[in-house]
Amino acid sequence: MRYKDFELVDFLADEFFILWVKNPDKNTQHFWEKWLIEHPEKREIVLKAISIIRGVSYKEGEHLTDSAYIDIFENILSADKEKGKYGRGFLNSDKNNNIKNIAAILIFGFCAWMGYYHTFLYSEPAPVSNKTFVIKRSTPLGSRSLITLADSSKVHLNSSSEISYPSDLATSNRWVELKGEGFFEIKKNGKPFTVLIGGTKIEVMGTSFNVKVEENKLSVALMTGKVMVKDQKGNQVSLYPDEMLVMEKSGDLYKSDFDTLKVTGWKDNVLVFDSDNFENCRKKIEAWYGVEIILKGEIRKSWVYSGTYINESLENVMRGVNFTSGLNYKIENRKVELFN
Amino acid sequence: MKSIIKKNNYSVQPKVSSFHIEPPESIKEKPDREVWKAFDNGDELAFNLIYRSHVKRMYHYGSQITKDTELIKDCIQNIFISLRRKRGALGEVECIRAYLFKILTREILKNLKADKVSEIRFEEIKDQFFPISICPESIMIQREKEMANKELVREALGQLTSRQRQAILLLYEEGMSYKEVADTMGFNEVKTARKIVYRAMASLKEILVGQEIKPKE
């Protein structure tokens, strides 16, 4: 069939015609403009087809935010690092020196940045059976990391914490053993997911929640979904969003609500002090920045400190402490001295 | 006459971060197949280019299938992670966007299926994929009973299958060729894509031509 015999539907389904309407280039413009002059009787139908093609659109749809755009990019690159396989080709890459240099700058900058945030200690998995083995991930004092598990669940790991999980987590047993503090975003996949803390189990399907293991207590704070906490003694407690369960070592259990920023802010690099006394402040700062605080001066017993720091430097936090306590500080070799 | 030489459209996205160095013109001009090959060979710049040229469109496209934006993000992330791990053993790709759209759809569907309790429910939500709209003004400019007809247009569009809507959107909105539509939708033959669009358009003909439409009893 030739274009002069085309009906509306034919135009609407014609690739060369659509190309002209959507992405006109020299070829299509030249052809169609000429053709229209020669076939004025088709003008109306062509205009109609154009307006329909232009009128069609997605009815709705989401747009990726810039921050998500960066996040995904970073997660992709950090996944490489987890595998210990870094930018394979680029080292032995080809002729183009210029490209190589730019790539090097790019990757170097990125590594430096990543190194700051995501210093994992990746220990060799210990073989358990022939196929399945346990993978351990930990964070040193002063750093936090985000780990994506094979089933696409995510674990934010707070400073000096550790998780262990089976290598076949995606396909069979979904469990993670936690020491320290972690924020879990568990993907639903039909199978339950269990977080183990000593003899206590947290069973979930698909949820997000924060778990903090301290010397004498365990706290579970639920953001979304539903979890079931079971301890060794046979206690079972269900949690609903915005509820926090605290289990004391003594065996006491209680539920409360919680301040999201205070409890989970750490995963977004927010350091929160909320009327914390000196001892608490010291613990928080030491864990957050991986430093040691040495008090050489005097501080009044009633001193408490509040403040919210997003991605802030140690220097800035110490300045705040200095301002309210009157103590001077000196930062040197991962040590902070406080004196009057 | 119908051989279409289509330039690949590497639209430059706004610079969002300093670690996204603008790729040199030389690589931007390259056809998809070569960019993909460079990526396969481990060229980080090629990866960068692929990411920045396609990820936003992938996300928008994914949101036509599911409203679970976290799921879309995870799928995109996992796709790139797994592609990067397979570098050195990747197959040839003619049109990167079509390929990425295809595997994104597959990944999202896989997750949706795992998430849904019953198959029936899944079939139900499948009908909702790729909602489409045609600006009614583009169809009947001089019509009087415009309001009534808007409803009819909506109804007619609703009767298209989700695959028909998908094909139309890929062709019109994404500006793909039939070859690329076929690649994206996983058809072996280009003519399958052509047929789907033609049939969809033919079924809308009454409304499109602007004849008086009798409302259904």
PDB file of all heavy atoms in Angstrom, chain B residues 36-65:
ATOM      1  N   TRP B  36      27.676  -0.704  24.657  1.00  0.00           N
ATOM      2  CA  TRP B  36      27.435  -1.918  25.431  1.00  0.00           C
ATOM      3  C   TRP B  36      28.681  -2.788  25.471  1.00  0.00           C
ATOM      4  O   TRP B  36      29.035  -3.368  26.491  1.00  0.00           O
ATOM      5  CB  TRP B  36      26.254  -2.688  24.846  1.00  0.00           C
ATOM      6  CG  TRP B  36      25.790  -3.785  25.737  1.00  0.00           C
ATOM      7  CD1 TRP B  36      26.032  -5.113  25.595  1.00  0.00           C
ATOM      8  CD2 TRP B  36      25.010  -3.648  26.928  1.00  0.00           C
ATOM      9  NE1 TRP B  36      25.454  -5.815  26.626  1.00  0.00           N
ATOM     10  CE2 TRP B  36      24.817  -4.938  27.456  1.00  0.00           C
ATOM     11  CE3 TRP B  36      24.452  -2.551  27.600  1.00  0.00           C
ATOM     12  CZ2 TRP B  36      24.090  -5.172  28.623  1.00  0.00           C
ATOM     13  CZ3 TRP B  36      23.732  -2.781  28.756  1.00  0.00           C
ATOM     14  CH2 TRP B  36      23.558  -4.076  29.252  1.00  0.00           C
ATOM     15  N   LYS B  37      29.347  -2.855  24.355  1.00  0.00           N
ATOM     16  CA  LYS B  37      30.563  -3.662  24.272  1.00  0.00           C
ATOM     17  C   LYS B  37      31.647  -3.099  25.208  1.00  0.00           C
ATOM     18  O   LYS B  37      32.329  -3.847  25.911  1.00  0.00           O
ATOM     19  CB  LYS B  37      31.073  -3.682  22.822  1.00  0.00           C
ATOM     20  CG  LYS B  37      31.711  -5.002  22.497  1.00  0.00           C
ATOM     21  CD  LYS B  37      31.988  -5.109  21.017  1.00  0.00           C
ATOM     22  CE  LYS B  37      33.077  -6.102  20.811  1.00  0.00           C
ATOM     23  NZ  LYS B  37      33.071  -7.359  20.857  1.00  0.00           N
ATOM     24  N   ALA B  38      31.746  -1.777  25.196  1.00  0.00           N
ATOM     25  CA  ALA B  38      32.726  -1.140  26.083  1.00  0.00           C
ATOM     26  C   ALA B  38      32.390  -1.442  27.542  1.00  0.00           C
ATOM     27  O   ALA B  38      33.269  -1.730  28.358  1.00  0.00           O
ATOM     28  CB  ALA B  38      32.742   0.368  25.844  1.00  0.00           C
ATOM     29  N   PHE B  39      31.096  -1.388  27.846  1.00  0.00           N
ATOM     30  CA  PHE B  39      30.650  -1.719  29.204  1.00  0.00           C
ATOM     31  C   PHE B  39      31.029  -3.165  29.540  1.00  0.00           C
ATOM     32  O   PHE B  39      31.562  -3.456  30.606  1.00  0.00           O
ATOM     33  CB  PHE B  39      29.140  -1.503  29.294  1.00  0.00           C
ATOM     34  CG  PHE B  39      28.521  -2.057  30.562  1.00  0.00           C
ATOM     35  CD1 PHE B  39      28.905  -1.593  31.812  1.00  0.00           C
ATOM     36  CD2 PHE B  39      27.541  -3.035  30.493  1.00  0.00           C
ATOM     37  CE1 PHE B  39      28.333  -2.105  32.974  1.00  0.00           C
ATOM     38  CE2 PHE B  39      26.967  -3.548  31.654  1.00  0.00           C
ATOM     39  CZ  PHE B  39      27.367  -3.081  32.894  1.00  0.00           C
ATOM     40  N   ASP B  40      30.790  -4.037  28.592  1.00  0.00           N
ATOM     41  CA  ASP B  40      31.118  -5.450  28.780  1.00  0.00           C
ATOM     42  C   ASP B  40      32.615  -5.625  29.039  1.00  0.00           C
ATOM     43  O   ASP B  40      33.041  -6.459  29.822  1.00  0.00           O
ATOM     44  CB  ASP B  40      30.678  -6.241  27.541  1.00  0.00           C
ATOM     45  CG  ASP B  40      30.815  -7.748  27.751  1.00  0.00           C
ATOM     46  OD1 ASP B  40      30.620  -8.206  28.886  1.00  0.00           O
ATOM     47  OD2 ASP B  40      31.116  -8.451  26.770  1.00  0.00           O
ATOM     48  N   ASN B  41      33.408  -4.777  28.380  1.00  0.00           N
ATOM     49  CA  ASN B  41      34.859  -4.858  28.565  1.00  0.00           C
ATOM     50  C   ASN B  41      35.333  -4.191  29.849  1.00  0.00           C
ATOM     51  O   ASN B  41      36.520  -4.131  30.120  1.00  0.00           O
ATOM     52  CB  ASN B  41      35.574  -4.205  27.381  1.00  0.00           C
ATOM     53  CG  ASN B  41      35.489  -5.068  26.146  1.00  0.00           C
ATOM     54  OD1 ASN B  41      35.373  -6.285  26.241  1.00  0.00           O
ATOM     55  ND2 ASN B  41      35.514  -4.430  24.980  1.00  0.00           N
ATOM     56  N   GLY B  42      34.401  -3.666  30.605  1.00  0.00           N
ATOM     57  CA  GLY B  42      34.795  -3.104  31.894  1.00  0.00           C
ATOM     58  C   GLY B  42      35.018  -1.610  31.894  1.00  0.00           C
ATOM     59  O   GLY B  42      35.497  -1.057  32.879  1.00  0.00           O
ATOM     60  N   ASP B  43      34.670  -0.948  30.805  1.00  0.00           N
ATOM     61  CA  ASP B  43      34.862   0.499  30.729  1.00  0.00           C
ATOM     62  C   ASP B  43      33.874   1.190  31.678  1.00  0.00           C
ATOM     63  O   ASP B  43      32.668   1.149  31.474  1.00  0.00           O
ATOM     64  CB  ASP B  43      34.622   0.946  29.286  1.00  0.00           C
ATOM     65  CG  ASP B  43      34.932   2.411  29.076  1.00  0.00           C
ATOM     66  OD1 ASP B  43      34.888   3.174  30.063  1.00  0.00           O
ATOM     67  OD2 ASP B  43      35.221   2.794  27.939  1.00  0.00           O
ATOM     68  N   GLU B  44      34.418   1.824  32.722  1.00  0.00           N
ATOM     69  CA  GLU B  44      33.547   2.453  33.721  1.00  0.00           C
ATOM     70  C   GLU B  44      32.795   3.647  33.142  1.00  0.00           C
ATOM     71  O   GLU B  44      31.705   3.989  33.571  1.00  0.00           O
ATOM     72  CB  GLU B  44      34.362   2.902  34.939  1.00  0.00           C
ATOM     73  CG  GLU B  44      34.792   1.763  35.841  1.00  0.00           C
ATOM     74  CD  GLU B  44      33.612   1.019  36.479  1.00  0.00           C
ATOM     75  OE1 GLU B  44      32.532   1.607  36.629  1.00  0.00           O
ATOM     76  OE2 GLU B  44      33.787  -0.161  36.816  1.00  0.00           O
ATOM     77  N   LEU B  45      33.425   4.282  32.174  1.00  0.00           N
ATOM     78  CA  LEU B  45      32.786   5.443  31.569  1.00  0.00           C
ATOM     79  C   LEU B  45      31.536   5.026  30.791  1.00  0.00           C
ATOM     80  O   LEU B  45      30.533   5.729  30.777  1.00  0.00           O
ATOM     81  CB  LEU B  45      33.780   6.118  30.639  1.00  0.00           C
ATOM     82  CG  LEU B  45      33.699   7.631  30.614  1.00  0.00           C
ATOM     83  CD1 LEU B  45      33.839   8.204  31.997  1.00  0.00           C
ATOM     84  CD2 LEU B  45      34.762   8.175  29.696  1.00  0.00           C
ATOM     85  N   ALA B  46      31.632   3.878  30.164  1.00  0.00           N
ATOM     86  CA  ALA B  46      30.483   3.358  29.420  1.00  0.00           C
ATOM     87  C   ALA B  46      29.360   3.031  30.389  1.00  0.00           C
ATOM     88  O   ALA B  46      28.191   3.322  30.132  1.00  0.00           O
ATOM     89  CB  ALA B  46      30.879   2.118  28.629  1.00  0.00           C
ATOM     90  N   PHE B  47      29.735   2.468  31.519  1.00  0.00           N
ATOM     91  CA  PHE B  47      28.708   2.174  32.535  1.00  0.00           C
ATOM     92  C   PHE B  47      28.039   3.460  32.980  1.00  0.00           C
ATOM     93  O   PHE B  47      26.819   3.566  33.066  1.00  0.00           O
ATOM     94  CB  PHE B  47      29.324   1.459  33.743  1.00  0.00           C
ATOM     95  CG  PHE B  47      28.418   1.482  34.942  1.00  0.00           C
ATOM     96  CD1 PHE B  47      27.231   0.771  34.934  1.00  0.00           C
ATOM     97  CD2 PHE B  47      28.729   2.257  36.044  1.00  0.00           C
ATOM     98  CE1 PHE B  47      26.370   0.826  36.023  1.00  0.00           C
ATOM     99  CE2 PHE B  47      27.877   2.313  37.132  1.00  0.00           C
ATOM    100  CZ  PHE B  47      26.700   1.598  37.111  1.00  0.00           C
ATOM    101  N   ASN B  48      28.880   4.442  33.239  1.00  0.00           N
ATOM    102  CA  ASN B  48      28.380   5.736  33.673  1.00  0.00           C
ATOM    103  C   ASN B  48      27.385   6.322  32.675  1.00  0.00           C
ATOM    104  O   ASN B  48      26.325   6.828  33.033  1.00  0.00           O
ATOM    105  CB  ASN B  48      29.584   6.667  33.800  1.00  0.00           C
ATOM    106  CG  ASN B  48      29.369   7.702  34.860  1.00  0.00           C
ATOM    107  OD1 ASN B  48      28.584   8.606  34.649  1.00  0.00           O
ATOM    108  ND2 ASN B  48      30.021   7.541  35.995  1.00  0.00           N
ATOM    109  N   LEU B  49      27.757   6.213  31.426  1.00  0.00           N
ATOM    110  CA  LEU B  49      26.896   6.743  30.366  1.00  0.00           C
ATOM    111  C   LEU B  49      25.568   5.997  30.310  1.00  0.00           C
ATOM    112  O   LEU B  49      24.503   6.603  30.209  1.00  0.00           O
ATOM    113  CB  LEU B  49      27.626   6.622  29.017  1.00  0.00           C
ATOM    114  CG  LEU B  49      26.822   7.040  27.794  1.00  0.00           C
ATOM    115  CD1 LEU B  49      26.535   8.528  27.826  1.00  0.00           C
ATOM    116  CD2 LEU B  49      27.562   6.689  26.514  1.00  0.00           C
ATOM    117  N   ILE B  50      25.645   4.681  30.410  1.00  0.00           N
ATOM    118  CA  ILE B  50      24.426   3.879  30.362  1.00  0.00           C
ATOM    119  C   ILE B  50      23.525   4.246  31.530  1.00  0.00           C
ATOM    120  O   ILE B  50      22.333   4.461  31.379  1.00  0.00           O
ATOM    121  CB  ILE B  50      24.769   2.363  30.396  1.00  0.00           C
ATOM    122  CG1 ILE B  50      25.457   1.957  29.094  1.00  0.00           C
ATOM    123  CG2 ILE B  50      23.502   1.527  30.593  1.00  0.00           C
ATOM    124  CD1 ILE B  50      26.060   0.569  29.118  1.00  0.00           C
ATOM    125  N   TYR B  51      24.139   4.356  32.679  1.00  0.00           N
ATOM    126  CA  TYR B  51      23.351   4.676  33.873  1.00  0.00           C
ATOM    127  C   TYR B  51      22.656   6.024  33.722  1.00  0.00           C
ATOM    128  O   TYR B  51      21.450   6.135  33.870  1.00  0.00           O
ATOM    129  CB  TYR B  51      24.250   4.676  35.107  1.00  0.00           C
ATOM    130  CG  TYR B  51      23.495   4.907  36.399  1.00  0.00           C
ATOM    131  CD1 TYR B  51      22.868   3.850  37.033  1.00  0.00           C
ATOM    132  CD2 TYR B  51      23.403   6.175  36.961  1.00  0.00           C
ATOM    133  CE1 TYR B  51      22.152   4.046  38.210  1.00  0.00           C
ATOM    134  CE2 TYR B  51      22.694   6.385  38.129  1.00  0.00           C
ATOM    135  CZ  TYR B  51      22.073   5.322  38.749  1.00  0.00           C
ATOM    136  OH  TYR B  51      21.360   5.530  39.907  1.00  0.00           O
ATOM    137  N   ARG B  52      23.451   7.043  33.380  1.00  0.00           N
ATOM    138  CA  ARG B  52      22.854   8.375  33.352  1.00  0.00           C
ATOM    139  C   ARG B  52      21.871   8.543  32.205  1.00  0.00           C
ATOM    140  O   ARG B  52      20.936   9.329  32.285  1.00  0.00           O
ATOM    141  CB  ARG B  52      23.917   9.468  33.343  1.00  0.00           C
ATOM    142  CG  ARG B  52      24.499   9.747  31.985  1.00  0.00           C
ATOM    143  CD  ARG B  52      25.945   9.869  31.996  1.00  0.00           C
ATOM    144  NE  ARG B  52      26.615  11.098  32.323  1.00  0.00           N
ATOM    145  CZ  ARG B  52      26.185  12.331  32.337  1.00  0.00           C
ATOM    146  NH1 ARG B  52      24.949  12.624  32.158  1.00  0.00           N
ATOM    147  NH2 ARG B  52      26.989  13.321  32.556  1.00  0.00           N
ATOM    148  N   SER B  53      22.042   7.792  31.127  1.00  0.00           N
ATOM    149  CA  SER B  53      21.126   7.964  30.008  1.00  0.00           C
ATOM    150  C   SER B  53      19.818   7.216  30.212  1.00  0.00           C
ATOM    151  O   SER B  53      18.829   7.547  29.601  1.00  0.00           O
ATOM    152  CB  SER B  53      21.719   7.466  28.692  1.00  0.00           C
ATOM    153  OG  SER B  53      23.064   7.704  28.604  1.00  0.00           O
ATOM    154  N   HIS B  54      19.850   6.182  31.018  1.00  0.00           N
ATOM    155  CA  HIS B  54      18.666   5.329  31.028  1.00  0.00           C
ATOM    156  C   HIS B  54      17.943   5.209  32.356  1.00  0.00           C
ATOM    157  O   HIS B  54      16.788   4.812  32.388  1.00  0.00           O
ATOM    158  CB  HIS B  54      19.042   3.924  30.535  1.00  0.00           C
ATOM    159  CG  HIS B  54      19.540   3.922  29.128  1.00  0.00           C
ATOM    160  ND1 HIS B  54      18.712   4.198  28.064  1.00  0.00           N
ATOM    161  CD2 HIS B  54      20.768   3.729  28.613  1.00  0.00           C
ATOM    162  CE1 HIS B  54      19.424   4.152  26.948  1.00  0.00           C
ATOM    163  NE2 HIS B  54      20.676   3.878  27.256  1.00  0.00           N
ATOM    164  N   VAL B  55      18.618   5.509  33.451  1.00  0.00           N
ATOM    165  CA  VAL B  55      18.030   5.109  34.726  1.00  0.00           C
ATOM    166  C   VAL B  55      16.738   5.859  35.048  1.00  0.00           C
ATOM    167  O   VAL B  55      15.789   5.297  35.572  1.00  0.00           O
ATOM    168  CB  VAL B  55      19.084   5.200  35.854  1.00  0.00           C
ATOM    169  CG1 VAL B  55      19.130   6.580  36.453  1.00  0.00           C
ATOM    170  CG2 VAL B  55      18.812   4.158  36.911  1.00  0.00           C
ATOM    171  N   LYS B  56      16.681   7.131  34.664  1.00  0.00           N
ATOM    172  CA  LYS B  56      15.460   7.888  34.974  1.00  0.00           C
ATOM    173  C   LYS B  56      14.282   7.382  34.151  1.00  0.00           C
ATOM    174  O   LYS B  56      13.167   7.276  34.648  1.00  0.00           O
ATOM    175  CB  LYS B  56      15.690   9.382  34.746  1.00  0.00           C
ATOM    176  CG  LYS B  56      16.626   9.947  35.797  1.00  0.00           C
ATOM    177  CD  LYS B  56      16.537  11.435  35.965  1.00  0.00           C
ATOM    178  CE  LYS B  56      17.375  11.826  37.171  1.00  0.00           C
ATOM    179  NZ  LYS B  56      17.344  13.254  37.468  1.00  0.00           N
ATOM    180  N   ARG B  57      14.552   7.074  32.916  1.00  0.00           N
ATOM    181  CA  ARG B  57      13.474   6.551  32.069  1.00  0.00           C
ATOM    182  C   ARG B  57      13.054   5.160  32.543  1.00  0.00           C
ATOM    183  O   ARG B  57      11.880   4.809  32.484  1.00  0.00           O
ATOM    184  CB  ARG B  57      13.919   6.477  30.611  1.00  0.00           C
ATOM    185  CG  ARG B  57      14.149   7.834  29.989  1.00  0.00           C
ATOM    186  CD  ARG B  57      13.552   7.926  28.614  1.00  0.00           C
ATOM    187  NE  ARG B  57      12.111   8.075  28.685  1.00  0.00           N
ATOM    188  CZ  ARG B  57      11.438   9.033  28.058  1.00  0.00           C
ATOM    189  NH1 ARG B  57      12.077   9.905  27.337  1.00  0.00           N
ATOM    190  NH2 ARG B  57      10.133   9.101  28.161  1.00  0.00           N
ATOM    191  N   MET B  58      14.017   4.380  32.982  1.00  0.00           N
ATOM    192  CA  MET B  58      13.677   3.049  33.501  1.00  0.00           C
ATOM    193  C   MET B  58      12.728   3.162  34.678  1.00  0.00           C
ATOM    194  O   MET B  58      11.752   2.440  34.781  1.00  0.00           O
ATOM    195  CB  MET B  58      14.944   2.311  33.973  1.00  0.00           C
ATOM    196  CG  MET B  58      15.796   1.746  32.872  1.00  0.00           C
ATOM    197  SD  MET B  58      17.359   1.117  33.556  1.00  0.00           S
ATOM    198  CE  MET B  58      16.846  -0.481  34.180  1.00  0.00           C
ATOM    199  N   TYR B  59      13.046   4.099  35.535  1.00  0.00           N
ATOM    200  CA  TYR B  59      12.228   4.266  36.736  1.00  0.00           C
ATOM    201  C   TYR B  59      10.802   4.678  36.357  1.00  0.00           C
ATOM    202  O   TYR B  59       9.826   4.121  36.850  1.00  0.00           O
ATOM    203  CB  TYR B  59      12.878   5.328  37.619  1.00  0.00           C
ATOM    204  CG  TYR B  59      12.167   5.560  38.928  1.00  0.00           C
ATOM    205  CD1 TYR B  59      12.315   4.685  39.984  1.00  0.00           C
ATOM    206  CD2 TYR B  59      11.343   6.669  39.093  1.00  0.00           C
ATOM    207  CE1 TYR B  59      11.667   4.896  41.181  1.00  0.00           C
ATOM    208  CE2 TYR B  59      10.686   6.892  40.288  1.00  0.00           C
ATOM    209  CZ  TYR B  59      10.858   6.005  41.327  1.00  0.00           C
ATOM    210  OH  TYR B  59      10.203   6.222  42.513  1.00  0.00           O
ATOM    211  N   HIS B  60      10.723   5.628  35.452  1.00  0.00           N
ATOM    212  CA  HIS B  60       9.407   6.091  35.018  1.00  0.00           C
ATOM    213  C   HIS B  60       8.637   4.953  34.341  1.00  0.00           C
ATOM    214  O   HIS B  60       7.442   4.765  34.557  1.00  0.00           O
ATOM    215  CB  HIS B  60       9.569   7.281  34.077  1.00  0.00           C
ATOM    216  CG  HIS B  60       8.288   7.981  33.767  1.00  0.00           C
ATOM    217  ND1 HIS B  60       7.679   7.897  32.550  1.00  0.00           N
ATOM    218  CD2 HIS B  60       7.489   8.743  34.553  1.00  0.00           C
ATOM    219  CE1 HIS B  60       6.547   8.597  32.590  1.00  0.00           C
ATOM    220  NE2 HIS B  60       6.413   9.119  33.787  1.00  0.00           N
ATOM    221  N   TYR B  61       9.350   4.204  33.551  1.00  0.00           N
ATOM    222  CA  TYR B  61       8.730   3.071  32.859  1.00  0.00           C
ATOM    223  C   TYR B  61       8.273   2.017  33.873  1.00  0.00           C
ATOM    224  O   TYR B  61       7.149   1.507  33.784  1.00  0.00           O
ATOM    225  CB  TYR B  61       9.749   2.474  31.894  1.00  0.00           C
ATOM    226  CG  TYR B  61       9.216   1.357  31.020  1.00  0.00           C
ATOM    227  CD1 TYR B  61       8.364   1.629  29.964  1.00  0.00           C
ATOM    228  CD2 TYR B  61       9.568   0.030  31.250  1.00  0.00           C
ATOM    229  CE1 TYR B  61       7.875   0.608  29.163  1.00  0.00           C
ATOM    230  CE2 TYR B  61       9.098  -0.994  30.458  1.00  0.00           C
ATOM    231  CZ  TYR B  61       8.251  -0.698  29.405  1.00  0.00           C
ATOM    232  OH  TYR B  61       7.772  -1.702  28.619  1.00  0.00           O
ATOM    233  N   GLY B  62       9.110   1.738  34.835  1.00  0.00           N
ATOM    234  CA  GLY B  62       8.760   0.768  35.875  1.00  0.00           C
ATOM    235  C   GLY B  62       7.511   1.192  36.643  1.00  0.00           C
ATOM    236  O   GLY B  62       6.702   0.359  37.045  1.00  0.00           O
ATOM    237  N   SER B  63       7.345   2.508  36.796  1.00  0.00           N
ATOM    238  CA  SER B  63       6.199   2.989  37.564  1.00  0.00           C
ATOM    239  C   SER B  63       4.896   2.814  36.781  1.00  0.00           C
ATOM    240  O   SER B  63       3.819   3.052  37.311  1.00  0.00           O
ATOM    241  CB  SER B  63       6.397   4.449  37.980  1.00  0.00           C
ATOM    242  OG  SER B  63       6.234   5.311  36.889  1.00  0.00           O
ATOM    243  N   GLN B  64       4.994   2.389  35.535  1.00  0.00           N
ATOM    244  CA  GLN B  64       3.787   2.058  34.773  1.00  0.00           C
ATOM    245  C   GLN B  64       3.298   0.652  35.129  1.00  0.00           C
ATOM    246  O   GLN B  64       2.196   0.261  34.763  1.00  0.00           O
ATOM    247  CB  GLN B  64       4.051   2.120  33.261  1.00  0.00           C
ATOM    248  CG  GLN B  64       4.603   3.442  32.770  1.00  0.00           C
ATOM    249  CD  GLN B  64       3.695   4.600  33.106  1.00  0.00           C
ATOM    250  OE1 GLN B  64       2.487   4.500  32.997  1.00  0.00           O
ATOM    251  NE2 GLN B  64       4.279   5.709  33.570  1.00  0.00           N
ATOM    252  N   ILE B  65       4.168  -0.099  35.792  1.00  0.00           N
ATOM    253  CA  ILE B  65       3.799  -1.468  36.128  1.00  0.00           C
ATOM    254  C   ILE B  65       3.422  -1.583  37.592  1.00  0.00           C
ATOM    255  O   ILE B  65       2.481  -2.269  37.939  1.00  0.00           O
ATOM    256  CB  ILE B  65       4.979  -2.430  35.819  1.00  0.00           C
ATOM    257  CG1 ILE B  65       5.359  -2.306  34.345  1.00  0.00           C
ATOM    258  CG2 ILE B  65       4.591  -3.863  36.139  1.00  0.00           C
ATOM    259  CD1 ILE B  65       6.595  -3.058  33.972  1.00  0.00           C
TER     260      ILE B  65
END
